[in-house]
């Protein structure tokens, strides 16, 4: 019997375990799980720490094939739903609860240090900007969840205060301008590209939920009428929310069309 | 408003010492004229004017608080 050990990290213990299992290509009952660090969400992202686990798998000795390739941890692809060809009755057992987290990307110290440096510079610059705009507000910082696709974790600056609707502007225009300019300023200062997000009183989160609902509503309409429909023009991150919401939709798919700030999402029925 | 524009632009250019903002006010409207080093023109205007338009948006917020309108123009750089 041989042993195979992996250590993985994730935003919480469960995510770390899933990442490890994916790496090994094994199911949960085939491994021994040891929690090395339960991790911590931290307070407002300050002091947040990833959970870490060690998975040990007992592997029956395989006849040694002299291919060194065998030892390479196979890149395990998430089980992709295969096109249903067989006529077999649908399985009655509940689908295994696939945790839909992207395999958490291991963050090296460099990434973390760069993000902390960006956060410090962003807080300073945005504070200065708001002061000069005569906006009476305070700032808190946090970290995003790992991105669904890239696993990237980014800085979030949240602005709090009374009557900040002028800071959001029509459809978030002012907020987007503030984010764009302060990213440029921070990027110029640090000689890199800044990617932090600025939010005002949870506006982006509310907008995100509203966009997801809009996407679903329009998708149903498109599926019913079997005719493509375009949404109004949106900035890139908002278009992305629409694409992500509908990416697994059975009846429609999405495309971005148009140029520059006229770019918009088109929802198109799939041919059945 | 003038300080806001100066602060933003100086943080975006390579030649902050050459940033000048001239303000002319009348009762309801402020006009700000911005001049930067020729090499920094592109940085301040941005692709399709995205940078200068974003600066305009931010200046408008602080102008609105004073009940004013504001025009922000970029002066043509002299190329010697």
């Amino acid at each position: 019997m041989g042993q195979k050990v992996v250590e993985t990290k994730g935003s919480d213990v469960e995510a770390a375990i899933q990442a490890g299992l994916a790496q090994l290509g094994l199911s949960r009952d085939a491994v021994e799980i040891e929690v090395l660090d339960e991790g911590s969400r931290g307070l407002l992202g300050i002091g947040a720490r990833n959970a870490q686990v060690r998975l040990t798998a007992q592997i029956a000795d395989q006849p040694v094939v002299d291919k060194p390739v065998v030892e390479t941890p196979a890149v395990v692809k998430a089980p992709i739903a295969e096109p249903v060809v067989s006529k077999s009755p649908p399985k009655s057992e509940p689908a295994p609860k696939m945790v839909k987290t992207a395999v958490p990307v291991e963050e090296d110290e460099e990434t973390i240090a760069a993000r902390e440096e960006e956060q410090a510079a962003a807080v300073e610059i945005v504070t200065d900007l708001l002061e000069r705009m005569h906006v009476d507000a305070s700032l808190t910082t946090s970290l995003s969840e790992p991105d669904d696709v890239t696993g990237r974790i980014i800085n979030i600056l949240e602005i709090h205060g009374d009557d900040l609707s002028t800071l959001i502007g029509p459809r978030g225009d002012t907020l987007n301008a503030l984010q764009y300019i302060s990213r440029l300023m921070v990027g110029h200062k640090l000689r890199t590209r800044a990617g932090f997000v600025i939010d005002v009183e949870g506006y982006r989160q509310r907008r995100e939920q509203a966009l997801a609902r809009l996407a679903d509503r329009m998708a149903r309409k498109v599926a019913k009428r079997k005719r493509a429909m375009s949404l109004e023009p949106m900035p890139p991150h908002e278009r992305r929310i629409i694409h992500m919401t509908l990416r697994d939709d059975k009846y429609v798919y999405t495309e971005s069309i148009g140029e520059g700030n006229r770019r918009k999402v088109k929802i198109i029925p799939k041919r059945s | 408003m003038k300080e806001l524009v100066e602060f933003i632009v100086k943080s975006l250019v390579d030649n902050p010492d050459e940033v000048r903002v001239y303000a002319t006010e009348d009762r309801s409207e402020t006009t700000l004229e911005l001049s930067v080093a020729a090499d920094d023109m592109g940085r301040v205007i941005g692709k399709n004017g995205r940078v200068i338009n974003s600066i305009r948006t931010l200046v408008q917020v602080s102008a609105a608080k004073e009940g004013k309108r504001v025009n922000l123009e970029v002066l043509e750089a002299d190329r010697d």
Side-chain angles (χ1 to χ4, degrees), chain B residues 11-76:
Chain B
S11 313
L12 294 179
V13 298
D14 286 335
N15 308 286
D17 294 344
E18 292 183 47
V19 174
R20 300 275 182 280
V21 179
Y22 308 99
T24 46
E25 307 214 12
D26 74 34
R27 210 167 302 158
S28 63
E29 202 172 79
T30 302
T31 299
L32 300 173
E33 291 174 311
L34 169 68
S35 107
V36 297
D39 291 343
D40 286 325
M41 284 294 271
R43 246 181 290 271
V44 167
I45 293 169
K47 200 173 159 194
N48 298 324
R50 188 164 172 208
V51 177
I52 192 69
N53 284 333
S54 295
I55 299 174
R56 284 188 179 116
T57 303
L58 297 184
V59 178
Q60 241 112 46
V61 171
S62 75
K65 283 186 187 292
E66 296 171 28
K68 285 195 165 186
R69 291 195 311 166
V70 61
N71 287 317
L72 172 60
E73 300 301 335
V74 184
L75 296 177
E76 206 60 49

Side-chain angles (χ1 to χ4, degrees), chain A residues 199-265:
Chain A
D199 201 355
V200 173
E201 299 285 10
Y203 169 79
R204 286 199 195 279
Q205 214 177 349
R206 292 198 304 274
R207 177 81 176 149
E208 199 171 305
Q209 287 160 356
L211 284 170
R213 284 197 302 270
L214 171 75
D216 277 328
R217 218 162 49 231
M218 296 303 273
R220 298 290 67 82
K221 227 179 246 184
V222 167
K224 202 168 157 193
R225 296 183 188 169
K226 297 197 179 355
R227 225 166 58 204
M229 290 172 84
S230 296
L231 303 179
E232 61 184 51
M234 288 173 196
H237 63 272
E238 295 195 348
R239 291 199 307 271
R240 186 166 182 276
I241 292 165
I242 307 283
H243 290 309
M244 297 301 276
T245 306
L246 298 178
R247 73 181 156 171
D248 294 328
D249 197 281
K250 271 191 207 155
Y251 305 103
V252 301
Y253 64 99
T254 56
E255 269 174 15
S256 285
I257 55 169
E259 290 301 319
N261 59 7
R262 302 292 308 157
R263 209 160 157 76
K264 56 191 177 181
V265 178

Side-chain angles (χ1 to χ4, degrees), chain A residues 128 133-134 174 180 185 188, chain B residues 7 11-14 61 65:
Chain A
D128 284 352
M133 287 168 72
H134 307 294
T174 309
Y180 180 64
M185 291 165 80
H188 192 258
Chain B
F7 174 66
S11 313
L12 294 179
V13 298
D14 286 335
V61 171
K65 283 186 187 292

Side-chain angles (χ1 to χ4, degrees), chain A:
Chain A
M1 293 280 275
Q3 268 195 347
K4 205 164 179 183
V5 182
V6 295
E7 285 180 17
T8 46
K9 289 182 184 170
S11 54
D12 57 24
V13 171
E14 185 56 29
I17 293 172
Q18 290 299 336
L21 293 177
Q23 222 177 83
L24 288 168
L26 293 171
S27 67
R28 199 180 194 112
D29 46 23
V31 298
E32 221 181 308
I33 298 169
E34 200 182 333
V35 178
L36 301 175
D37 184 347
E38 290 192 344
S40 152
R41 287 255 158 209
L43 187 64
L44 297 168
I46 300 160
R49 209 172 64 240
N50 277 338
Q52 196 175 2
V53 297
R54 179 187 294 147
L55 306 184
T56 309
Q58 305 295 341
I59 306 165
D61 283 330
Q62 291 165 328
V64 179
V65 187
D66 28 350
K67 263 196 245 162
V69 192
V70 174
E71 276 306 311
T72 326
V75 178
V76 181
K77 286 186 184 159
I80 293 164
E82 287 168 35
V84 182
V85 187
S86 66
K87 293 266 160 66
S88 64
K91 286 181 199 163
S92 55
E93 61 181 292
K97 198 182 156 209
M98 254 319 270
V99 180
K100 213 173 149 192
T101 43
V103 177
V105 172
E106 290 266 327
E107 289 202 302
D108 51 34
E109 282 171 28
E110 217 173 299
T111 310
I112 296 168
R115 190 171 57 220
E116 283 169 357
E117 191 184 20
E118 183 196 84
Q119 187 187 71
V123 166
E124 190 189 325
I125 283 174
V126 173
T127 304
D128 284 352
L129 263 176
L130 292 175
E131 198 184 301
R132 286 172 173 80
M133 287 168 72
H134 307 294
V135 173
D136 190 16
S138 62
L139 273 185
T140 55
T141 59
S142 60
L143 295 177
S144 72
E145 292 290 314
D147 184 275
D148 270 4
V149 177
T150 62
R152 226 162 67 100
I153 298 171
I154 56 175
N155 284 313
I156 300 173
L157 271 66
E158 175 98 17
I159 303 174
H160 309 271
D162 291 332
D163 190 26
L164 293 180
S165 55
T166 52
L167 207 51
I168 296 171
R171 257 183 249 124
D173 285 349
T174 309
L175 177 56
N176 287 333
L178 178 67
Q179 176 174 300
Y180 180 64
I181 288 295
S182 52
R183 275 183 179 182
L184 283 183
M185 291 165 80
V186 171
H188 192 258
K189 182 176 177 182
L190 302 178
R191 303 277 155 200
T192 175
R193 244 178 95 154
F196 58 88
V197 168
I198 301 182
D199 201 355
V200 173
E201 299 285 10
Y203 169 79
R204 286 199 195 279
Q205 214 177 349
R206 292 198 304 274
R207 177 81 176 149
E208 199 171 305
Q209 287 160 356
L211 284 170
R213 284 197 302 270
L214 171 75
D216 277 328
R217 218 162 49 231
M218 296 303 273
R220 298 290 67 82
K221 227 179 246 184
V222 167
K224 202 168 157 193
R225 296 183 188 169
K226 297 197 179 355
R227 225 166 58 204
M229 290 172 84
S230 296
L231 303 179
E232 61 184 51
M234 288 173 196
H237 63 272
E238 295 195 348
R239 291 199 307 271
R240 186 166 182 276
I241 292 165
I242 307 283
H243 290 309
M244 297 301 276
T245 306
L246 298 178
R247 73 181 156 171
D248 294 328
D249 197 281
K250 271 191 207 155
Y251 305 103
V252 301
Y253 64 99
T254 56
E255 269 174 15
S256 285
I257 55 169
E259 290 301 319
N261 59 7
R262 302 292 308 157
R263 209 160 157 76
K264 56 191 177 181
V265 178
K266 193 173 181 185
I267 304 176
I268 306 158
K270 283 182 181 170
R271 302 215 170 270
S272 44

